[in-house]
Amino acid sequence: MDAERGGGEAPAAPRDGEGRFRRRAFLVGGGLGVLGLGGAALVAGPGGVRSAYTRVVCGSTPEPPPGGTAGRRQGTLEGRRVIVAMPRAARDTVPVVVMLPEPPGDARAPYDLYAVDRYLAASPGGFAIASVDGWPSADIVGALLPHLEAGGLDVRRIGLLGWAAGGAEALRLAAQLGSGVVRAVAATSPDVTAARAPLRELVDIPVWLGCGERDDRAPQTETMLKGLKALGATTEGGISSGCQDTAYRRRVLPEQLAFFARHL
Protein backbone atom coordinates (compact mmCIF):
# COMPACT_ATOMS: atom_id res chain seq x y z
CA MET A 1 0.00 0.00 0.00
CA ASP A 2 2.84 2.43 0.82
CA ALA A 3 4.39 1.84 -2.60
CA GLU A 4 1.14 2.58 -4.34
CA ARG A 5 0.61 5.85 -2.40
CA GLY A 6 4.19 6.99 -2.99
CA GLY A 7 4.09 6.20 -6.66
CA GLY A 8 7.14 3.91 -6.50
CA GLU A 9 8.60 0.74 -5.01
CA ALA A 10 9.01 0.28 -1.27
CA PRO A 11 12.64 0.58 -0.13
CA ALA A 12 14.37 -2.75 0.37
CA ALA A 13 14.61 -3.87 3.99
CA PRO A 14 18.17 -3.79 5.28
CA ARG A 15 19.96 -7.11 5.53
CA ASP A 16 20.10 -8.43 9.08
CA GLY A 17 23.79 -7.60 9.52
CA GLU A 18 23.31 -4.08 8.20
CA GLY A 19 20.39 -3.49 10.52
CA ARG A 20 22.38 -4.61 13.53
CA PHE A 21 25.32 -2.41 12.54
CA ARG A 22 23.10 0.64 12.01
CA ARG A 23 21.47 0.20 15.39
CA ARG A 24 24.85 -0.31 17.04
CA ALA A 25 26.37 2.70 15.27
CA PHE A 26 23.40 4.82 16.33
CA LEU A 27 23.69 3.75 19.97
CA VAL A 28 27.50 4.03 20.18
CA GLY A 29 27.59 7.21 18.12
CA GLY A 30 24.87 8.79 20.22
CA GLY A 31 26.75 7.99 23.43
CA LEU A 32 29.98 9.38 22.01
CA GLY A 33 28.15 12.41 20.74
CA VAL A 34 27.40 13.38 24.32
CA LEU A 35 31.17 13.42 24.84
CA GLY A 36 31.76 15.43 21.70
CA LEU A 37 33.20 12.49 19.73
CA GLY A 38 30.18 10.97 18.01
CA GLY A 39 30.12 13.02 14.81
CA ALA A 40 33.78 12.61 13.99
CA ALA A 41 33.72 8.92 14.83
CA LEU A 42 30.72 8.14 12.63
CA VAL A 43 32.21 9.99 9.68
CA ALA A 44 35.13 7.60 9.87
CA GLY A 45 32.89 4.53 9.76
CA PRO A 46 32.98 1.45 12.01
CA GLY A 47 36.74 1.71 12.60
CA GLY A 48 36.31 5.31 13.69
CA VAL A 49 33.61 4.31 16.16
CA ARG A 50 35.81 1.63 17.68
CA SER A 51 38.82 3.96 17.79
CA ALA A 52 36.84 6.75 19.44
CA TYR A 53 35.29 4.33 21.92
CA THR A 54 38.76 3.02 22.80
CA ARG A 55 40.01 6.55 23.41
CA VAL A 56 37.09 7.23 25.75
CA VAL A 57 37.53 3.98 27.68
CA CYS A 58 41.31 3.62 27.65
CA GLY A 59 42.56 7.18 27.13
CA SER A 60 44.56 8.67 24.31
CA THR A 61 48.19 7.83 23.63
CA PRO A 62 50.28 10.79 24.83
CA GLU A 63 52.77 12.44 22.52
CA PRO A 64 56.42 11.93 23.55
CA PRO A 65 58.14 14.86 25.28
CA PRO A 66 59.58 17.51 22.95
CA GLY A 67 63.25 18.25 22.82
CA GLY A 68 64.84 15.34 20.98
CA THR A 69 66.00 11.88 21.94
CA ALA A 70 68.69 10.29 24.03
CA GLY A 71 71.70 9.00 22.12
CA ARG A 72 71.49 5.43 20.87
CA ARG A 73 74.10 2.73 20.49
CA GLN A 74 73.40 -0.45 18.57
CA GLY A 75 75.45 -3.61 18.66
CA THR A 76 75.15 -7.34 18.11
CA LEU A 77 75.27 -10.12 20.67
CA GLU A 78 75.15 -13.71 19.41
CA GLY A 79 73.27 -12.57 16.32
CA ARG A 80 70.80 -10.45 18.31
CA ARG A 81 70.47 -6.67 18.18
CA VAL A 82 71.25 -4.85 21.39
CA ILE A 83 70.07 -1.23 21.50
CA VAL A 84 71.16 1.12 24.28
CA ALA A 85 69.77 4.60 24.91
CA MET A 86 72.25 6.80 26.77
CA PRO A 87 71.44 9.77 29.01
CA ARG A 88 72.45 13.08 27.46
CA ALA A 89 74.91 14.16 30.13
CA ALA A 90 76.64 10.81 30.59
CA ARG A 91 80.32 11.45 31.36
CA ASP A 92 81.13 8.58 33.69
CA THR A 93 80.05 4.98 33.84
CA VAL A 94 76.29 4.89 34.35
CA PRO A 95 73.96 2.15 35.55
CA VAL A 96 71.55 0.51 33.15
CA VAL A 97 67.90 -0.51 33.08
CA VAL A 98 67.27 -3.65 31.04
CA MET A 99 63.87 -3.51 29.33
CA LEU A 100 61.88 -6.65 28.58
CA PRO A 101 58.92 -5.94 26.27
CA GLU A 102 56.36 -8.58 25.39
CA PRO A 103 57.61 -11.67 23.47
CA PRO A 104 59.02 -12.23 20.94
CA GLY A 105 61.16 -9.46 22.37
CA ASP A 106 61.96 -7.02 19.55
CA ALA A 107 64.80 -4.74 20.67
CA ARG A 108 63.22 -1.83 18.76
CA ALA A 109 59.83 -2.09 20.47
CA PRO A 110 60.71 0.17 23.43
CA TYR A 111 61.76 2.88 20.96
CA ASP A 112 59.26 2.46 18.13
CA LEU A 113 56.17 1.84 20.28
CA TYR A 114 56.93 3.63 23.52
CA ALA A 115 59.47 6.32 22.52
CA VAL A 116 61.65 5.35 25.48
CA ASP A 117 64.60 7.37 24.17
CA ARG A 118 62.43 10.50 24.04
CA TYR A 119 61.23 9.99 27.59
CA LEU A 120 64.75 9.21 28.79
CA ALA A 121 66.03 12.46 27.29
CA ALA A 122 63.43 14.34 29.35
CA SER A 123 64.12 12.32 32.51
CA PRO A 124 66.37 13.51 35.35
CA GLY A 125 67.85 10.04 35.75
CA GLY A 126 71.52 9.45 34.91
CA PHE A 127 71.13 5.90 33.63
CA ALA A 128 71.04 4.06 30.32
CA ILE A 129 68.29 1.81 28.94
CA ALA A 130 69.08 -1.41 27.06
CA SER A 131 66.95 -3.86 25.11
CA VAL A 132 67.82 -7.06 23.26
CA ASP A 133 66.14 -9.12 20.54
CA GLY A 134 64.51 -12.35 21.62
CA TRP A 135 64.92 -11.94 25.36
CA PRO A 136 62.81 -15.01 26.22
CA SER A 137 65.68 -17.17 24.98
CA ALA A 138 68.51 -14.67 25.42
CA ASP A 139 70.92 -15.17 28.31
CA ILE A 140 70.36 -11.91 30.20
CA VAL A 141 72.73 -12.64 33.07
CA GLY A 142 75.48 -14.66 31.41
CA ALA A 143 75.66 -12.84 28.06
CA LEU A 144 73.81 -9.50 27.99
CA LEU A 145 75.16 -8.02 31.22
CA PRO A 146 78.83 -8.79 30.34
CA HIS A 147 78.17 -7.32 26.88
CA LEU A 148 76.82 -4.11 28.42
CA GLU A 149 79.71 -3.96 30.89
CA ALA A 150 82.20 -4.24 28.02
CA GLY A 151 80.40 -1.26 26.47
CA GLY A 152 81.13 0.88 29.52
CA LEU A 153 77.93 0.48 31.54
CA ASP A 154 77.78 -0.27 35.25
CA VAL A 155 76.02 -3.63 35.54
CA ARG A 156 76.58 -3.85 39.29
CA ARG A 157 73.53 -1.61 39.78
CA ILE A 158 70.93 -2.62 37.23
CA GLY A 159 67.22 -1.96 36.96
CA LEU A 160 64.69 -4.24 35.28
CA LEU A 161 61.53 -3.09 33.50
CA GLY A 162 59.05 -5.33 31.75
CA TRP A 163 55.54 -5.36 30.28
CA ALA A 164 53.09 -8.27 30.51
CA ALA A 165 55.17 -11.49 30.19
CA GLY A 166 58.24 -9.25 30.27
CA GLY A 167 56.99 -7.87 33.59
CA ALA A 168 56.74 -11.37 35.01
CA GLU A 169 60.29 -12.10 33.81
CA ALA A 170 61.57 -8.85 35.33
CA LEU A 171 60.15 -9.86 38.72
CA ARG A 172 61.57 -13.38 38.40
CA LEU A 173 65.04 -12.12 37.47
CA ALA A 174 65.02 -9.57 40.28
CA ALA A 175 64.13 -12.30 42.77
CA GLN A 176 66.85 -14.57 41.35
CA LEU A 177 69.65 -11.98 41.30
CA GLY A 178 68.77 -10.27 44.56
CA SER A 179 69.33 -6.76 45.83
CA GLY A 180 73.10 -7.02 45.40
CA VAL A 181 72.63 -6.75 41.63
CA VAL A 182 69.11 -5.44 41.04
CA ARG A 183 68.57 -2.06 42.67
CA ALA A 184 65.00 -1.59 41.41
CA VAL A 185 62.40 -3.42 39.30
CA ALA A 186 59.27 -2.19 37.56
CA ALA A 187 56.57 -4.41 36.06
CA THR A 188 53.65 -3.13 34.02
CA SER A 189 50.62 -5.44 33.94
CA PRO A 190 52.79 -8.45 34.83
CA ASP A 191 51.53 -11.73 33.44
CA VAL A 192 51.85 -13.67 36.68
CA THR A 193 49.37 -14.66 39.35
CA ALA A 194 49.83 -13.30 42.84
CA ALA A 195 50.16 -16.87 44.14
CA ARG A 196 53.19 -17.52 41.90
CA ALA A 197 54.91 -14.14 42.25
CA PRO A 198 58.20 -14.26 44.19
CA LEU A 199 57.06 -11.69 46.73
CA ARG A 200 59.29 -12.67 49.66
CA GLU A 201 62.39 -12.64 47.46
CA LEU A 202 61.60 -9.06 46.42
CA VAL A 203 61.32 -7.56 49.90
CA ASP A 204 64.77 -5.91 49.78
CA ILE A 205 64.32 -4.50 46.24
CA PRO A 206 62.23 -1.39 45.50
CA VAL A 207 59.34 -2.48 43.28
CA TRP A 208 57.09 -0.45 40.97
CA LEU A 209 53.94 -2.36 40.04
CA GLY A 210 51.17 -0.89 37.95
CA CYS A 211 48.21 -1.83 35.80
CA GLY A 212 45.30 -0.17 34.03
CA GLU A 213 41.98 -0.53 35.80
CA ARG A 214 40.39 -2.01 32.65
CA ASP A 215 43.16 -4.57 32.27
CA ASP A 216 42.15 -8.06 33.37
CA ARG A 217 45.43 -8.28 35.32
CA ALA A 218 44.48 -5.39 37.60
CA PRO A 219 43.14 -7.59 40.47
CA GLN A 220 46.26 -9.77 40.65
CA THR A 221 48.53 -6.71 40.38
CA GLU A 222 46.71 -5.06 43.27
CA THR A 223 46.98 -8.27 45.31
CA MET A 224 50.75 -8.40 44.70
CA LEU A 225 51.13 -4.76 45.76
CA LYS A 226 49.23 -5.43 48.99
CA GLY A 227 51.34 -8.52 49.63
CA LEU A 228 54.62 -6.64 49.13
CA LYS A 229 53.49 -3.81 51.40
CA ALA A 230 52.48 -6.31 54.08
CA LEU A 231 55.99 -7.78 53.92
CA GLY A 232 57.53 -4.33 54.38
CA ALA A 233 58.81 -3.89 50.82
CA THR A 234 59.31 -0.47 49.23
CA THR A 235 56.57 -0.22 46.61
CA GLU A 236 55.32 2.36 44.15
CA GLY A 237 52.78 2.34 41.32
CA GLY A 238 49.20 1.15 41.66
CA ILE A 239 46.03 0.77 39.63
CA SER A 240 45.14 3.76 37.49
CA SER A 241 42.90 4.51 34.52
CA GLY A 242 43.74 2.68 31.32
CA CYS A 243 43.91 -0.63 29.50
CA GLN A 244 46.67 -3.03 28.49
CA ASP A 245 47.88 -0.90 25.59
CA THR A 246 50.49 1.54 24.32
CA ALA A 247 48.54 4.50 25.71
CA TYR A 248 48.74 3.24 29.29
CA ARG A 249 52.38 2.21 29.04
CA ARG A 250 53.42 5.60 27.72
CA ARG A 251 51.44 7.39 30.41
CA VAL A 252 53.22 5.58 33.24
CA LEU A 253 56.69 5.61 31.66
CA PRO A 254 57.74 9.02 33.11
CA GLU A 255 56.72 7.79 36.58
CA GLN A 256 58.74 4.61 36.10
CA LEU A 257 61.83 6.48 34.90
CA ALA A 258 61.60 8.81 37.90
CA PHE A 259 61.36 5.70 40.10
CA PHE A 260 64.59 4.32 38.63
CA ALA A 261 66.29 7.72 38.96
CA ARG A 262 65.63 7.64 42.72
CA HIS A 263 66.83 4.08 43.25
CA LEU A 264 69.74 3.44 40.86
Side-chain angles (χ1 to χ4, degrees):
M1 294 294 292
D2 290 340
E4 293 175 2
R5 284 197 298 267
E9 295 181 358
R15 293 191 298 272
D16 186 55
E18 291 177 349
R20 284 198 300 271
F21 169 72
R22 289 174 185 169
R23 290 191 295 272
R24 188 178 300 118
F26 173 78
L27 293 172
V28 176
L32 294 174
V34 174
L35 298 170
L37 294 172
L42 289 177
V43 168
V49 172
R50 286 192 294 270
S51 178
Y53 178 76
T54 299
R55 290 197 298 273
V56 171
V57 172
C58 299
S60 298
T61 302
E63 289 295 322
T69 65
R72 283 197 213 175
R73 302 176 183 173
Q74 181 165 324
T76 303
L77 172 64
E78 299 174 352
R80 309 171 190 265
R81 288 175 304 179
V82 178
I83 303 176
V84 179
M86 296 293 295
R88 285 182 171 177
R91 293 187 178 89
D92 302 317
T93 301
V94 296
V96 60
V97 173
V98 177
M99 305 194 79
L100 305 174
E102 291 178 286
D106 185 341
R108 291 191 59 89
Y111 307 95
D112 294 346
L113 288 179
Y114 307 114
V116 163
D117 47 348
R118 298 277 295 275
Y119 285 97
L120 180 63
S123 166
F127 56 87
I129 291 176
S131 61
V132 59
D133 278 335
W135 66 258
S137 58
D139 185 352
I140 301 294
V141 178
L144 179 62
L145 294 187
H147 174 83
L148 296 175
E149 185 176 29
L153 296 175
D154 183 356
V155 299
R156 298 170 302 168
R157 309 180 280 150
I158 72 167
L160 293 167
L161 169 59
W163 303 293
E169 179 66 7
L171 295 175
R172 187 195 69 78
L173 272 177
Q176 174 190 326
L177 298 175
S179 59
V181 175
V182 179
R183 300 301 175 93
V185 58
T188 307
S189 184
D191 188 12
V192 59
T193 63
R196 299 187 64 183
L199 301 185
R200 292 190 178 278
E201 293 85 347
L202 295 170
V203 168
D204 296 327
I205 301 172
V207 178
W208 189 101
L209 271 180
C211 193
E213 63 184 359
R214 291 184 176 273
D215 187 331
D216 58 7
R217 295 175 185 146
Q220 65 200 45
T221 302
E222 188 170 27
T223 299
M224 284 188 282
L225 272 170
K226 290 178 179 177
L228 286 167
K229 289 177 182 177
L231 292 169
T234 299
T235 60
E236 296 184 33
I239 309 302
S240 55
S241 62
C243 303
Q244 188 184 155
D245 58 7
T246 300
Y248 172 78
R249 291 169 183 175
R250 277 200 189 182
R251 281 200 300 273
V252 298
L253 191 53
E255 183 181 336
Q256 292 171 326
L257 296 182
F259 164 78
F260 284 117
R262 289 191 295 273
H263 293 289
L264 288 184

